[in-house]
Amino acid sequence: MVVDRLKQVASHVSGQTGPPHPLDPLSEAEIAQAVAIVRKEHSGLFFNAVTLWEPRKAQMLAWLADPKTAPRPVRTADIVALGLGSKVYDGTVDLEAEKIVSWKLTENVQPLITMEDLQVVEAIVRKDPRVIEQCGIIGIPPEDMHKVYCDPWTIGYDERFGNKIRLQQAFVYYRPNPDDCQYTYPLDFLPIFNTETHEIIHIDIPPVRRPLNKAPPINYHAEAIEKEGGFRDDLKPINITQPEGVSFKVDGRIIDWQKWKVHIGFNYREGLVLSNITFNDKGTERPVFWRLSLAEMVVPYGNPEHPHPRKHAFDLGEYGAGYMTNSLTLGCDCKGAIHYMDAAFVNRAGEATSIKNAICIHEEDAGILFKHTDFRDESCTVTRARKLVISQIFTAANYEYCVYWIFHQDGTIQLEVKLTGILNTYPMNPGEDLHGWGTEVYPGVNAHNHQHLFCMRVDPNVDGPNNTVFEVDATRGPGEVGSQENYHGNAFYAKKTKLATAGESKREYDGSTSRTWEMVNPNKINPYSHKPVSYKLVSREVPGLLPKEGGLVWRRAGFARHAIHVTKYSDDQIHPAGRHVPQTSGTPSHGLPAWIAANPAENIDNTDIVLWHTFGLTHFPAPEDFPIMPAEPMTLLLRPRNFFTSNPCMDIRPSHSSTPTAVAKGQAVAVGDPASRLVGGGECCAK
Amino acid sequence: MVVDRLKQVASHVSGQTGPPHPLDPLSEAEIAQAVAIVRKEHSGLFFNAVTLWEPRKAQMLAWLADPKTAPRPVRTADIVALGLGSKVYDGTVDLEAEKIVSWKLTENVQPLITMEDLQVVEAIVRKDPRVIEQCGIIGIPPEDMHKVYCDPWTIGYDERFGNKIRLQQAFVYYRPNPDDCQYTYPLDFLPIFNTETHEIIHIDIPPVRRPLNKAPPINYHAEAIEKEGGFRDDLKPINITQPEGVSFKVDGRIIDWQKWKVHIGFNYREGLVLSNITFNDKGTERPVFWRLSLAEMVVPYGNPEHPHPRKHAFDLGEYGAGYMTNSLTLGCDCKGAIHYMDAAFVNRAGEATSIKNAICIHEEDAGILFKHTDFRDESCTVTRARKLVISQIFTAANYEYCVYWIFHQDGTIQLEVKLTGILNTYPMNPGEDLHGWGTEVYPGVNAHNHQHLFCMRVDPNVDGPNNTVFEVDATRGPGEVGSQENYHGNAFYAKKTKLATAGESKREYDGSTSRTWEMVNPNKINPYSHKPVSYKLVSREVPGLLPKEGGLVWRRAGFARHAIHVTKYSDDQIHPAGRHVPQTSGTPSHGLPAWIAANPAENIDNTDIVLWHTFGLTHFPAPEDFPIMPAEPMTLLLRPRNFFTSNPCMDIRPSHSSTPTAVAKGQAVAVGDPASRLVGGGECCAK
Ligand SMILES: [Co+2]
Ligand SMILES: [Co+2]
């Protein structure tokens, strides 16, 4: 059997024995096999995506519950292919039966733009006579066309061109020298590129022209800094080592760390996917989340002047957080003791390729986990925290997004996103009034206002799949000051509002009530608090979508209209802006708005649900962000509330612990940290 | 001269040569000297506080500008002393002229409760016949009174007792065994204690009685965990070392690190005080903040039932973040290469004492500082971040507050506060309805809803003292969707509203506009962006004060009524709830409300101003928080915006840097991190 042979290949590559876990991404061998199966029946195809068709949840849960008897989910590939004439095919392939399960021509859609699609544009732009003409108008002579660069983006949606032709728009730049930062020299016109025919079909030209920026280059790479005066020399090394090894175990793609178990998946679209997350509570593996991922994002820009209103990007749905992911390097991106995982993809030609070190897994010290000192006698227990970080970094043209899924020993899961990279820029004339839509971050460089809005898909599994979401608001109690029931006016409580139907689940953030959302299991009551077990979403960076209702971004990025949506689980609802995002008009809106509109009365109480949360930030650029932006962090927490019966991490050995009795006797239990040192000499308390 | 001799002593202790910096806390010798000077003229005094009377700002700035010619600010002590009959004296003493400068009897106030005041209560409570009687009623026999413990708090304010008598209220607990956590066994009555006469003057008894909890102990100290099944054994050490030393320099109490300079002060009340913070911008030491501190906090509890409405604590104003600060231990509280500073205080008897290792100063790796990869050729620069952490931990009876002032290389200052320790608890009867005011966190243990609200005092000095605060709201642009000016509805901008007078500076947080506040210097314009230089307060944990307008906490904690207040600088306005906080009725409100009400039209535009920011969180307890709470973090940022002309940290040596030209030639500049390792073997890229 071919499958057996492929399994052997896969196990050789991954060091894994036995068949892949049903949630493992497709291996290179499996991708190649899927393509071969398709090719047997269909010719003339290019491949846009070949990825794991995730097992249906019901089947997967049945298998996990009884892996010996229940049928093992079949390895299946989910395929997007392109035929001539911008034809799009969606299909699935059974890799075990070696057959196509489904195959269809999908009309009026454009699948995402791959790195290969992006790479092809620049050379063609440089040669296009109309581009050369435009360059001439703003001061670039024809012999300098090799100094013109472009960052292609999907076109988003432009009503002039619709969605029949697969388009990119080319943000064009100039580099005086190949090593100069091109974002200092944005050009003022925008070629539109036909991805299939490799032609420039149109150029958007602004009403007011802006000649090439004359400001000197500003660069951040090492050679430039050496030339500018060199590096500071007062930063001493800091070493982080784990001489006895790491505290996590890796079994295939399942990580076992500090009572957590999590399967680490990865796909071209969402990048990291964490599945079947459980926490071992005193010997019982309690399910917490079935699946967590960043499922979509949108970056709307705030300049209403032509040709900018169209400028917005769905970095996941239009390009793919997997496809754009960085190959990470030890000691640079990742410090300490690092475990990497690679990521396999298909290319346009149907070959399997891999990005090495796509995922970084490591532990960090996380400061104090808990501490208390008894003021009477100074008896004290202090325990330090550790965290496990599962991360990737992806580059979306000018920007980088660093995504950290962080597991804490107290049962908290944290998502941290850091923004770095370079601002998208546009030229400006000297003294030009930017009307508040952007900032001159460097002479002649206008960086437009924009938002980074991420949609986190949370499939809760809080002690089982049947969960309910409550909105929780810190609320003043009834009774005026001076009344008997509330004499000093100090009463307050957590007001909990059940979200019972999908239609009523579209909720906003409210900072004034410190609003959170609890995912509870109403069938499982905490024996102490008598409240249902829950995980609480604590998210404070929730700016809301600024583009107006009815406008282009509002229509296309329906998921971003509200901080929260809740839907009944469906195997097919992964992508909140739809399966194929480029060149959607937003009329109708795909994804979340459509799913909910189809049945707004759908019950989401005590059933298998998915919570979609849009968070992010609004970015008003400043010169500090240029020419490369110091990382700007944003974070959210998923915290256990009434889930455990007590602090679940008291069995971590404290650094220091003394009881009143021990203090009286002059004894204390201290482990300390033999590696710590006083500046100027001196070792740890425990020595 | 005595002063010279004292300077010698001080320099011997601190390793410092020359006189102390004018902002240095008083040394032990100076405290002793101050007490001696007072004692020469006044007898029969006990001491509540002897601390640095900070130099008047104008004088201090003049001296800093011209230290050779301008008069050096005189070392002066600020004194609070207690005479018999609860008499309170406020005075200042010139330590150089060795004389009392001011001295007055202050009527109708109570200065804070010191650790000595707190320590005295328990023994008296145990012997009081009425307490013994109450214990008997709830099931504690007289022979077990040694098992009764109490956490004394100030009384806050109780109209039955006013403020003539110095009072404490005793939260009473029981310990089956001296090493058991008492918060599992709260008692239901509250003795009121006269701090001067050492008598119980009253006992508050609830209408419904609650016998002693019968639940088994739950403990977190090492002995208990060993007994309960022991510690997890799968956590491997993680070592953080700086073999070549730290990257900061210490000159007295001035720290010089990565272009930052900051003077580290400390007092009994605010704890850490950071002064004269500057950032070296390409050779120019630019002032950023004159002074930063946590100036006050309040913890209101949300149960309106007698005797709880009175329950709230001003941990700084009523006890002192300095007095309650922990002596930190290397390798336990602090990991890596650590520099400590001690803190000196007066005791009741007028003797100087010190808390060793009160302040921890250390560096940490901080992940990626910035990164960008060119998707064309994979040329890439990645630079890692470092941060400097200046921290203290203080224990307020049951709670601990870990305070981290964090300096980043990009010019950002971060304040992080972690809450840990133990919940304040109250007994409950089996099955008792808690009415939403608390949670049963363990059988028989009711933890009440509460807030932790901190007031950060920010004295900006953004390129000089004359600053203005603008409120900044992310705002949709004008023009409906479809209009010519805003066709796609995508326009948005940063709406900036000047706070021109103290009266109009009382502002709330608005999460829906991602509201921030910019402290700008309107006299200094960024040459690129043409916007005034500024530092922006980014704070997202701003729950607002839940106790109602007109109620006790609202009246007493005036600073907490609004997220922001701005006042014109005054040397005397340090404490936003007033100089003496215990037993204030809030009628009138002291501190901020009084200062602003005195002159609401006071100009705060382009003058020396102070911004007061109240942030924090609302805590609805859960069993996870018991018996000891995993640290709950909250954070805020002070970020440079339009302050620099570019990213100010590009001269930090990257871990990896390659230009397109270098990539083409197969070259790259990599420093990497020789200590990093792959799990299972393998070293850094740079090797
Ligand atoms: Co941005
Ligand atoms: Co709390």
Side-chain angles (χ1 to χ4, degrees), chain A residues 261-281:
Chain A
K261 270 193 190 169
V262 51
H263 179 277
I264 303 179
F266 198 89
N267 65 50
Y268 73 105
R269 181 82 173 256
E270 300 162 285
L272 281 165
V273 175
L274 306 181
S275 294
N276 197 14
I277 302 170
T278 63
F279 192 95
N280 188 321
D281 181 13

Side-chain angles (χ1 to χ4, degrees), chain A residues 122 258 372 376 400 624, chain B residues 122 232 372 376 400 643:
Chain A
E122 195 165 84
Q258 295 295 294
H372 182 61
R376 291 164 190 77
E400 341 288 302
E624 285 79 354
Chain B
E122 195 165 83
R232 58 182 80 177
H372 182 61
R376 290 164 191 77
E400 340 287 302
F643 186 78

Side-chain angles (χ1 to χ4, degrees), chain A residues 299 301 399 401 419 423 450-452 617-619 621 629 632:
Chain A
V299 183
Y301 282 77
Y399 259 108
Y401 296 98
L419 307 185
L423 293 161
H450 57 278
Q451 300 192 283
H452 303 266
L617 54 80
T618 302
H619 187 177
M629 202 179 123
E632 179 157 13

Side-chain angles (χ1 to χ4, degrees), chain A residues 270-298:
Chain A
E270 300 162 285
L272 281 165
V273 175
L274 306 181
S275 294
N276 197 14
I277 302 170
T278 63
F279 192 95
N280 188 321
D281 181 13
K282 298 169 186 156
T284 303
E285 272 194 16
R286 296 174 65 186
V288 176
F289 294 101
W290 176 249
R291 191 180 188 279
L292 293 176
S293 69
L294 279 184
E296 192 51 275
M297 61 177 289
V298 65

Side-chain angles (χ1 to χ4, degrees), chain B residues 245-282:
Chain B
V246 295
S247 314
F248 56 83
K249 285 182 212 139
V250 185
D251 175 15
R253 300 182 71 101
I254 296 171
I255 302 287
D256 185 342
W257 179 82
Q258 295 294 293
K259 305 189 177 180
W260 288 106
K261 270 193 190 169
V262 51
H263 178 279
I264 303 179
F266 198 90
N267 65 49
Y268 72 105
R269 181 81 173 256
E270 299 162 285
L272 281 165
V273 174
L274 306 182
S275 295
N276 197 15
I277 301 170
T278 63
F279 192 95
N280 188 320
D281 181 12
K282 297 169 187 158

Side-chain angles (χ1 to χ4, degrees), chain A residues 26-172:
Chain A
L26 297 187
S27 66
E28 286 202 14
E30 288 174 319
I31 291 167
Q33 186 200 9
V35 169
I37 294 166
V38 170
R39 284 255 162 88
K40 274 194 281 185
E41 298 190 27
H42 303 279
S43 60
L45 292 179
F46 297 104
F47 287 82
N48 184 268
V50 176
T51 196
L52 177 71
W53 192 78
E54 292 186 21
R56 303 301 85 177
K57 190 172 180 179
Q59 198 192 359
M60 188 66 199
L61 289 174
W63 178 75
L64 282 170
D66 182 10
K68 287 195 179 134
T69 316
R72 186 185 182 92
V74 170
R75 296 291 284 170
T76 305
D78 179 358
I79 293 174
V80 182
L82 293 164
L84 287 180
S86 287
K87 285 198 165 50
V88 179
Y89 299 94
D90 288 287
T92 51
V93 168
D94 179 330
L95 296 175
E96 299 183 18
E98 297 191 55
K99 65 170 191 196
I100 296 176
V101 178
S102 68
W103 193 260
K104 67 164 179 159
L105 172 67
T106 309
E107 308 270 15
N108 300 322
V109 301
Q110 292 299 340
L112 56 68
I113 297 289
T114 65
M115 295 303 292
E116 282 172 284
D117 292 332
L118 297 167
Q119 293 282 9
V120 95
V121 182
E122 195 165 84
I124 289 157
V125 161
R126 285 176 177 171
K127 286 181 203 152
D128 185 89
R130 285 159 304 170
V131 172
I132 295 168
E133 181 193 355
Q134 288 302 319
C135 285
I137 290 169
I138 58 168
I140 301 168
E143 62 272 22
D144 279 357
M145 285 308 294
H146 63 287
K147 298 185 177 178
V148 171
Y149 290 76
C150 81
D151 287 4
W153 288 27
T154 68
I155 196 163
Y157 181 75
D158 190 314
E159 50 208 345
R160 295 171 298 174
F161 308 115
N163 58 16
K164 302 286 185 201
I165 308 166
R166 190 162 165 74
L167 297 173
Q168 299 179 56
Q169 54 183 324
F171 288 83
V172 275

